[in-house]
Amino acid sequence: MSDTQAFSPDGRPRARALGIEPGGRPGPWNAITDVPGVEVGYRTLISGDGPLRRGQGPVRTGVTAILPRGRAGVGRPCAAGRYVLNGNGEMTGTAWIDEVGELTMPITISNTHAIGPCHSGTIEWINRTHPEWARQWLLPVCAETWDGYLNDINGGHITPEIVIEALDAAESGPLQEGSVGGGTGMNCYAFKGGSGTASRLVDFGAETYTVGVFLQANFGSRQELTIAGRRIGDRIGTGNPQETTAWGTAPDSSPAAPGGAGSVIVIVATDAPLHALQCTAMARRVPFGLARTGTTGSLFSGDLFLAFSTADDRPSETGFPVGDPSADEMITTTRLPWNRMDRFYAAVVDAVEEAVLNALIVNSDMTGRDGHFSPALPHDQLKTLLAEAH
């Protein structure tokens, strides 16, 4: 086990450092960036305390940017497919992915009310960095989860410039997790949640491919939380104000949201050669990894998943055609046989499970608007409960 597989870049323990090792073999960084070419950038906004004042704060939010082929590969298609477990959420650009089975744009993830700035910020960034791709149409993928328990979500704090900064920050390498980027104000199983990642290596003959996962975890009810097969949510002696106390302050207070409300966005990347339908099949395996951590899939959780393959690096074939058609325009691709997909499905499930745990474990307590408090999952209690299981 390497340090980067078990510890975050700032030295905080990940799931493996606590002895929690879901199945499969992780990549060197145990991150989506283990897939060659994939780059991730963050912009984190934390400021202010006290009562909510719309437009002023407190601010607990941010943006995550994912470049499937890195900065230089914008506009070059990846085979892609998606799956929706529960549709109480948003991921733009997916109608076009459904149509052609390709992803050519950056992916941004933020809060629910920041979809607009993410969309316009991505378009502005492409105009600045790849103006040739802005001459026709741009359909960025922008996804969201709701951070309004901690954040001034209606305050307009995510702007196109903030999104551009996240895109500019994208790079390869080990990733920070927890309360960073789009995950800054998120909660998971009524503990502090946010950004999590993991990867798996899959041998295929003489080749070794990588499956990487990045997720924004903002889902699950406390009593559902299951780690290493043991349901422990109700056994952790930490307060649960998110699910048990009213939100806000009079006269604008409201009852707590139902347990399990929130959402989860999951991005699956691989360098294995896949067809778009196989990417969709990979995305359909994400719920099995989430379920290992206990969730039953609330109506009030938007659970949206996207998978892509970087294997077939070629020019786009979906722009306006030029001249008369010719035989040299024919497209030939290579893909895995369907009857060899199971080990890749297993890699998705294992990596998703571990990414959720990393989002919970690499985290700290956070207090947000109106004094709303989200406790971090306590490592000492977690280790004690898991030791009892053995």
Side-chain angles (χ1 to χ4, degrees), residues 204-275:
F204 188 87
E207 300 290 335
T208 298
Y209 296 114
T210 302
V211 174
V213 165
F214 183 95
L215 53 79
Q216 188 161 293
N218 191 52
F219 70 98
S221 179
R222 174 70 64 86
Q223 56 87 24
E224 294 177 327
L225 177 61
T226 302
I227 296 180
R230 185 171 179 80
R231 179 163 284 194
I232 62 171
D234 282 342
R235 299 192 61 197
I236 294 180
T238 299
N240 184 5
Q242 183 181 351
E243 295 181 343
T244 60
T245 60
W247 293 11
T249 55
D252 298 320
S253 61
S254 62
S263 289
V264 58
I265 300 297
V266 182
I267 308 299
V268 179
T270 185
D271 58 350
L274 301 183
H275 183 274

Side-chain angles (χ1 to χ4, degrees), residues 68-312:
R69 293 194 184 278
R71 188 180 313 273
V74 172
R76 299 183 71 84
C78 297
R82 55 121 178 192
Y83 179 67
V84 176
L85 178 64
N86 190 65
N88 193 351
E90 184 61 85
M91 181 183 286
T92 69
T94 52
W96 185 234
I97 291 172
D98 291 345
E99 185 70 24
V100 297
E102 291 183 356
L103 168 70
T104 59
M105 295 286 103
I107 301 164
T108 56
I109 316 172
S110 187
N111 75 62
T112 305
H113 297 176
I115 286 287
C118 284
H119 201 274
S120 57
T122 302
I123 289 174
E124 175 60 26
W125 182 81
I126 293 173
N127 270 275
R128 294 182 188 182
T129 61
H130 298 80
E132 69 278 12
W133 292 111
R135 294 173 188 146
Q136 296 186 18
W137 68 90
L138 299 174
L139 297 171
V141 174
C142 309
E144 55 76 27
T145 63
W146 192 83
D147 61 11
Y149 176 70
L150 295 172
N151 178 48
D152 175 20
I153 193 171
N154 293 315
H157 302 286
I158 299 298
T159 65
E161 283 301 322
I162 294 294
V163 177
I164 289 168
E165 290 172 9
L167 288 159
D168 281 338
E171 60 184 357
S172 184
L175 295 178
Q176 298 287 357
E177 293 169 293
S179 298
V180 64
T184 299
M186 305 304 168
N187 304 282
C188 186
Y189 293 109
F191 291 106
K192 189 66 193 70
S195 302
T197 190
S199 68
R200 291 298 183 270
L201 302 178
V202 182
D203 294 328
F204 188 87
E207 300 290 335
T208 298
Y209 296 114
T210 302
V211 174
V213 165
F214 183 95
L215 53 79
Q216 188 161 293
N218 191 52
F219 70 98
S221 179
R222 174 70 64 86
Q223 56 87 24
E224 294 177 327
L225 177 61
T226 302
I227 296 180
R230 185 171 179 80
R231 179 163 284 194
I232 62 171
D234 282 342
R235 299 192 61 197
I236 294 180
T238 299
N240 184 5
Q242 183 181 351
E243 295 181 343
T244 60
T245 60
W247 293 11
T249 55
D252 298 320
S253 61
S254 62
S263 289
V264 58
I265 300 297
V266 182
I267 308 299
V268 179
T270 185
D271 58 350
L274 301 183
H275 183 274
L277 290 176
Q278 293 172 315
C279 291
T280 300
M282 296 275 275
R284 285 202 304 265
R285 269 59 187 187
V286 167
F288 295 105
L290 299 177
R292 285 184 179 176
T293 68
T295 183
T296 54
S298 169
L299 173 68
F300 305 102
S301 181
D303 305 335
L304 312 179
F305 319 130
L306 174 67
F308 63 85
S309 167
T310 63
D312 186 18

